[in-house]
Amino acid sequence: MESFFSPHSIVLFGASSNEQKSGNHVLRNILNYTKENVYLIHPKEDDIYGIKCYKSIFEIPVKNIDLGIIVLPVGLVLETINSCIKFGIKSIIVESATLYLKANDKDNQNLEKIREIKELLKQKKVRIMGPNSIGVYCANQDKNSFITSLIYFKRLPKLKKKNLSIIAQTGLTLSGLLLHQNYIQELGIAKIASIGNKFDINETDILDYLENDSQTDVIALYLEDIKEGKRFLSQCKRIVKKKPIIMLKSGKTEKGRKAIASHTQSLAGDYKMVEALSRQVGIINVNDFSEMFNVAKVLLNQPRPKGRNLGVISISGAGTVLASDLASEFGFDLPSLKTEQIKNLRKIFPKFAWDDIYNPLDIWAAVEKVGPQQAYEKAGKILLEQNEYDYLVYYLTAIEETEFNWQVLTKFNAKYPETAIIMGFFGGDRKLILKWREILEENLNIPTFQSISEMFKILSKISLLK
Amino acid sequence: MESFFSPHSIVLFGASSNEQKSGNHVLRNILNYTKENVYLIHPKEDDIYGIKCYKSIFEIPVKNIDLGIIVLPVGLVLETINSCIKFGIKSIIVESATLYLKANDKDNQNLEKIREIKELLKQKKVRIMGPNSIGVYCANQDKNSFITSLIYFKRLPKLKKKNLSIIAQTGLTLSGLLLHQNYIQELGIAKIASIGNKFDINETDILDYLENDSQTDVIALYLEDIKEGKRFLSQCKRIVKKKPIIMLKSGKTEKGRKAIASHTQSLAGDYKMVEALSRQVGIINVNDFSEMFNVAKVLLNQPRPKGRNLGVISISGAGTVLASDLASEFGFDLPSLKTEQIKNLRKIFPKFAWDDIYNPLDIWAAVEKVGPQQAYEKAGKILLEQNEYDYLVYYLTAIEETEFNWQVLTKFNAKYPETAIIMGFFGGDRKLILKWREILEENLNIPTFQSISEMFKILSKISLLK
């Protein structure tokens, strides 16, 4: 797998100097990673961006090449794979559309070619990712990161302390969803494999690799079908003990499966069975990509609590009521404050509000009395000292007047390493939310939510069941 | 009610020149609305911001005042209300904390004062909003808008073609949630009433007023309890025929009701009964404020479809699979494309993708072939011409290369006034999403969603059941 994620030499089929073309984006992404040992195969051009083009792979003046990337029209794919294998390449990414024959395809020549490739795959030590893959992403700390996406990336996110790796039957994770981390980096991403139609390599191969990858702390899967069910489940059962696995399994319904048949030409399997089994082995199931990334950002940036006890500090009374409703709905407890805690909280609350000091805590009166810094810091400290809360949740409205020095949350995290700290917003100035989120998520690793019901849904997914 | 929303004269108790104080924010908000006929009552100051202060309301040299606003410490509230009523004020907003006595309150003097106010309320034509209200908001087209919030608003959102009005037992809608519309104005807001603890005015009084308010097109409620159940339900039943009503009813659970008892000192009622009855009369129930605003922005900016037929155009194959899954889950149909439609779509798709032309439509191959403008515009037009889709949903990734001239969506809206057009994002550049959302939501009235499951949830709430 190293030759996919960290190749020392690359040959690209389908490079282009036309900035509108996918082959151009892939090339420029590669050149951002390295300009050495990059070979281009092109029928007409002599060079592109100063990189020499060869007419055929067999003209390249070296013997070993780690990775071949194919971004060619469908009709040229099979013979190109064939020549790559014959040349002795270790790994091939096929970004072009399907290799599979359509049910109504009468072209026996293709069938014959595919049979030949399968035969070669058995004999040679080569692996193919795709077709319909858009390849890989591998973030590097000390050198440039590597990406083979069809979308050109001017910049790529940084590795964080803990990182997610993704295996997906879609290019979205290597395009829009990765790009999304470029401004407000909520989480670190170590590796992505877009495995496409799984002609050869499937999710289990990449799982094997990620299990022992030191940069991968959480694994997320987007799967439309599961190729080797038994191997997959026993693998996951083993891996989740070390690294949480999040799965978005699509094709839950008849309609979804029909769409899959067209998108990746494979069978989706019985979703209910897949979900039941995956739950059994400890996989976290999610329903869309937002959920996937929200679950991942909490798991990566905060401790994964052992219980479901919530301590809530809200800027609004309505927030305490909604938190109570949603806690019940999602199976969380809101343990009462102890006498000691109430006594200490009274010091920051005006007397008329003393009777309203309980969990979930309406902090407004304290903010008015002692200001946001004292109110948020002391209330947080007092709740944490009770040593009973698995989650400390702040809910606030983004207005300049209630900003406080968020660094204190990092100190809380250090002192109470078993409590997850989460921040939510009841609206407020959108630009201020962006500014705050950049500090909180990117620098302080505090996950934020802009919908309180979304937050409860996500926390309930990562919390162990009662 | 006019004297609450559009007062000609105002007296403020508790004004302050200290910019840290709520009384200062309320004053500055009022002065943005008008500097004429504003009277301040203050025990020490001679004037604040050049506005003369009186020691008592009875020193004011006019006979009639529309609105009194009280932002005083709790202990001074009762006697201030009393003097306002005696002076002959029409409307009073009490922004100070609770009037109600705590269960353990032994102060018979308060009880006596409250009894006296109730007696005066019976005799005089005065109405009280609050306590624990933060008052009202009234957007004006031709003059400055009026807001009495404890948060200072440098600017306020504009009225749009259609507008939401809100009745809420929380100040959030007059602070963070209104502020949120200042950048990327997803929807227009005509009026807000923060009714607090409902000592006198409750939701039914405001509903009566909004029913005939020409600027109110949709009404949203955040209620912790319902004071006059029968009146409320028969009112809603009548109003929903003209204006949709969205309700966030909190206190669904034991815990929630306990929190309410503290927040607004009232009984929450049996949620299940409330929900069943409200559903019966046609109220749209939501679970948090994000849902409330998302439902409102679709209702205000797009037609409310009569059916549940969805046409989907997605930049990603995974998007078509997820859309199929979620359509089934939320009870939507995805009617097949007709032969004519498929024939026309083939003109923008490369031949290898011809077999994959169906609804939900994976548009990627067409975008690569004819560019985003042609692909999105023609595909949308072809689907709309089928005259079968209640919703036309675009799902795209925010990258510059796939931007198209959104104006075409406005043309679609004009030509197909019964089809709602919705836009969703599978990630992409966050800054670009902000730029696009500003154009789409603020100028073109196209609602956008960043989570596909959230979009389906919202659409299912506004769609009539099958």
Side-chain angles (χ1 to χ4, degrees), chain A residues 126-145:
Chain A
V126 58
R127 299 301 309 260
I128 298 177
M129 190 180 292
N132 253 339
S133 158
I134 67 170
V136 298
Y137 168 58
C138 177
N140 293 314
Q141 192 96 54
D142 306 318
K143 53 178 184 171
N144 293 335
S145 296

Side-chain angles (χ1 to χ4, degrees), chain B residues 7-280:
Chain B
H8 295 293
S9 46
I10 301 166
V11 55
L12 173 61
F13 299 83
S16 166
S17 55
N18 177 348
E19 295 201 356
Q20 303 302 311
K21 298 279 181 189
S22 300
N24 175 273
H25 302 160
V26 177
L27 173 59
R28 285 195 289 153
N29 282 328
I30 293 171
L31 295 179
N32 282 349
Y33 167 67
T34 180
K35 287 186 176 62
E36 281 167 36
N37 305 320
V38 176
Y39 307 96
L40 307 181
I41 310 299
H42 201 284
K44 292 176 202 151
E45 304 280 353
D46 288 331
D47 76 292
I48 300 174
Y49 296 132
I51 309 287
K52 186 176 175 185
C53 295
Y54 299 89
K55 303 276 176 266
S56 144
I57 190 170
F58 299 103
E59 289 177 16
I60 296 176
V62 290
K63 284 198 172 166
N64 298 310
I65 289 180
D66 281 347
L67 181 63
I69 303 174
I70 301 173
V71 196
L72 293 172
V74 185
L76 302 171
V77 172
L78 291 174
E79 58 191 84
T80 307
I81 294 176
N82 201 313
S83 59
C84 281
I85 299 176
K86 284 177 177 158
F87 178 88
I89 263 177
K90 286 184 202 157
S91 301
I92 302 168
I93 294 171
V94 183
E95 306 206 15
S96 313
T98 185
L99 272 188
Y100 291 77
L101 297 172
K102 304 277 172 181
N104 58 356
D105 196 332
K106 300 256 164 47
D107 192 346
N108 286 318
Q109 242 191 317
N110 278 348
L111 256 180
E112 189 48 50
K113 281 181 192 161
I114 287 172
R115 209 173 292 139
E116 194 181 334
I117 289 170
K118 285 195 170 158
E119 208 51 49
L120 285 167
L121 275 179
K122 277 184 208 159
Q123 300 160 17
K124 298 259 190 171
K125 282 181 186 158
V126 58
R127 298 301 309 261
I128 298 177
M129 189 180 292
N132 252 338
S133 159
I134 67 169
V136 297
Y137 168 59
C138 177
N140 293 314
Q141 193 94 56
D142 307 317
K143 54 177 184 172
N144 293 334
S145 297
F146 179 53
I147 189 162
T148 66
S149 178
L150 296 173
I151 305 294
Y152 175 61
F153 278 78
K154 269 177 231 155
R155 57 177 284 231
L156 288 159
K158 295 165 298 191
L159 280 169
K160 296 185 84 170
K161 207 172 148 196
K162 287 189 169 188
N163 300 284
L164 177 73
S165 287
I166 308 170
I167 305 169
Q169 276 182 277
T170 172
L172 277 179
T173 51
L174 268 180
S175 52
L177 297 176
L178 181 62
L179 191 63
H180 211 51
Q181 294 299 321
N182 262 349
Y183 175 62
I184 304 182
Q185 192 178 338
E186 298 163 313
L187 43 80
I189 300 182
K191 292 181 176 67
I192 304 174
S194 155
I195 55 178
N197 294 10
K198 309 192 283 195
F199 176 79
D200 172 30
I201 283 181
N202 66 35
E203 53 281 2
T204 57
D205 301 306
I206 314 285
L207 274 169
D208 267 342
Y209 176 70
L210 296 179
E211 179 176 5
N212 300 309
D213 178 48
S214 63
Q215 276 175 341
T216 299
D217 301 284
V218 174
I219 298 168
L221 308 166
Y222 169 75
L223 296 176
E224 300 193 342
D225 68 333
I226 294 169
K227 282 277 181 190
E228 303 170 59
K230 268 194 178 173
R231 182 182 169 201
F232 173 77
L233 287 170
S234 71
Q235 245 181 342
C236 289
K237 197 172 175 179
R238 193 177 64 236
I239 296 173
V240 293
K241 282 169 195 149
K242 299 177 285 184
K243 303 178 180 185
I245 298 177
I246 307 162
M247 180 164 76
L248 171 54
K249 172 71 181 70
S250 66
K252 298 179 189 184
T253 58
E254 187 58 36
K255 285 226 173 83
R257 284 191 290 277
K258 209 182 130 197
I260 282 175
S262 169
H263 180 217
T264 49
Q265 308 285 323
S266 65
L267 287 174
D270 180 339
Y271 176 72
K272 277 190 188 148
M273 197 190 67
V274 171
E275 198 186 33
L277 288 171
S278 65
R279 197 187 301 267
Q280 239 172 57

